[in-house]
Amino acid sequence: MATNEFDLIARYFAHQAVNRKDVALAIGDDCAVLDVPVGSQLAVSTDSLVAGTHFLSEADPVRVAHKALASNLSDLAAMGATPAWVSLALTMPEPDEAWLAGFCQGFFALAEYYNVQLIGGDTTKGPLSLTLTVQGFVPQGKALTRCGAQSGDWIYVTGTLGDSAAGLALLLGQKSVDDAALAETLIDRHYCAQPRILAGQALRGIASAALDISDGLVSDLGHILKRSGVAAVIEVDKLPLSEELRRFEPDAEKASQLALTSGEEYELCFTVPEVNRGAVETALAHCGVKATCVGQLRPGTGITLFNAGEAVDWQLQGYDHFAE
Ligand code: ADP
Ligand code: MG
């Protein structure tokens, strides 16, 4: 970017103290130099956020940074990995220092909370977008994947579902609520999800499969079903809904539908063999995360929804796996 690319990097990105012993060399050279602990495998994930597509151009940069890093860390959580390093490729139309200051505030607050070191990146001129690559460690052979689920395993989700979609509908002006505090809470849930890092690690050796909910429960669970070769029953009346979502959408059926399709939740969806059900409760209680059993895997393909014991044939927005 322009003449002051190096100034910008130095001023905004190169100041994070290096507290990790596994970082031999961080920002400032041609490459970062890093040590992977003996006995661990590296889990790596990249995600891009483009202004106008993944966030509104006028969105608060503090929140954009949180969302960008949280969504990447959520991928590590879903593998049961411990986050270590992140790199950032940033493209912006002009060096906008106010935006950068806000972005760094949100970015480093979350990075430091999880002891994640920014180890490098790239800074270029163009339409506003960010690409993050996160790297973390997982004990050899212990990563949680999408393909180990078996018929009979139980389906769980962490936290509550639906708030992110409600917040987005408010942001986009598709819906409104009279209560300003309620609107603010839901919008905050849209931007400021907490990646389920500790829960993911706690589920290693307990869950048979896992992923994070970025496209909506039905859509994402579909990936586990395909990769594992099983079908699922979801009991929609068991879905964990927040108090705020119930106030946003008092119609129970519509609230459940939001919970089934809400993307960018960054909660974990995971499957558990019957023998490990007790272990789930204990493991997640230790990290203070609520998990709810919402259904069970069956032989076959596709997802069947039950509401209060009756099969329902809801047409869900953005979900096309029903036909399988
Ligand atoms: P090169 O031309 O060798 O690719 P750059 O000038 O792009 O190097 O970057 C110089 C240093 O600053 C490198 O260590 C790079 O990783 C780091 N860097 C550049 N942009 C960013 C950024 N947005 N965030 C973090 N580190 C960055
Ligand atoms: Mg470069």
Side-chain angles (χ1 to χ4, degrees):
M1 184 185 284
T3 45
N4 55 3
E5 171 191 341
F6 300 111
D7 283 357
L8 281 187
I9 295 168
R11 214 164 331 140
Y12 291 100
F13 298 114
H15 59 71
Q16 187 189 16
V18 179
N19 290 322
R20 297 188 61 98
K21 290 204 171 61
D22 50 31
V23 179
L25 200 54
I27 293 174
D29 216 306
D30 292 312
C31 289
V33 180
L34 308 158
D35 298 315
V36 180
V38 174
S40 287
Q41 288 177 302
L42 203 54
V44 184
S45 173
T46 298
D47 261 316
S48 293
L49 277 83
V50 177
T53 304
H54 303 101
F55 63 94
L56 302 172
S57 307
E58 65 273 20
D60 177 1
V62 181
R63 286 172 149 176
V64 171
H66 181 102
K67 183 175 166 177
L69 184 52
S71 64
N72 274 265
L73 291 176
S74 177
D75 286 319
L76 290 180
M79 302 301 287
T82 307
W85 314 312
V86 60
S87 37
L88 164 68
L90 178 65
T91 304
M92 43 189 342
E94 293 300 329
D96 177 343
E97 303 226 8
W99 194 91
L100 280 168
F103 183 85
C104 286
Q105 187 190 323
F107 188 88
F108 288 116
L110 186 59
E112 269 148 38
Y113 184 82
Y114 287 108
N115 192 22
V116 171
Q117 182 74 42
L118 179 64
I119 45 101
D122 201 15
T123 309
T124 50
K125 188 179 168 92
L128 184 60
S129 78
L130 341 147
T131 298
L132 268 64
T133 298
V134 287
Q135 305 189 54
F137 309 137
V138 67
Q140 188 82 35
K142 297 284 191 251
L144 295 170
T145 67
R146 299 176 175 189
C147 51
Q150 296 201 333
S151 176
D153 291 357
W154 298 93
I155 305 164
Y156 284 77
V157 294
T158 58
T160 60
L161 297 179
D163 290 4
S164 180
L168 185 60
L170 291 166
L171 266 174
L172 296 177
Q174 294 166 344
K175 250 198 105 154
S176 62
V177 288
D178 293 336
D179 182 342
L182 173 64
E184 198 43 47
T185 303
L186 289 168
I187 288 173
D188 204 55
R189 300 252 166 91
H190 173 73
Y191 276 118
C192 294
Q194 281 301 329
R196 297 298 192 184
I197 296 292
L198 293 179
Q201 291 169 38
L203 289 170
R204 290 194 307 244
I206 294 175
S208 51
L211 45 56
D212 66 322
I213 302 177
S214 53
D215 295 330
L217 174 62
V218 279
S219 181
D220 288 316
L221 177 61
H223 298 308
I224 290 183
L225 303 185
K226 263 196 191 145
R227 295 286 294 277
S228 299
V230 284
V233 167
I234 297 180
E235 297 185 50
V236 297
D237 47 317
K238 300 219 171 109
L239 291 168
L241 310 185
S242 71
E243 175 69 20
E244 289 82 4
L245 187 75
R246 291 179 197 279
R247 280 164 56 208
F248 171 86
E249 181 50 83
D251 181 310
E253 209 165 278
K254 286 189 184 150
S256 300
Q257 291 174 357
L258 266 182
L260 288 168
T261 54
S262 176
E264 302 175 311
E265 290 285 343
Y266 305 119
E267 295 294 349
L268 300 181
C269 169
F270 57 96
T271 57
V272 178
E274 174 68 32
V275 290
N276 287 347
R277 288 190 86 183
V280 167
E281 314 276 319
T282 317
L284 293 191
H286 278 143
C287 44
V289 172
K290 185 182 83 157
T292 309
C293 182
V294 298
Q296 194 175 21
L297 299 179
R298 299 277 164 84
T301 57
I303 297 176
T304 311
L305 303 178
F306 276 79
N307 191 12
E310 301 273 324
V312 288
D313 185 20
W314 290 348
Q315 299 305 309
L316 298 172
Q317 242 188 351
Y319 182 61
D320 57 5
H321 297 273
F322 273 105
E324 289 165 31

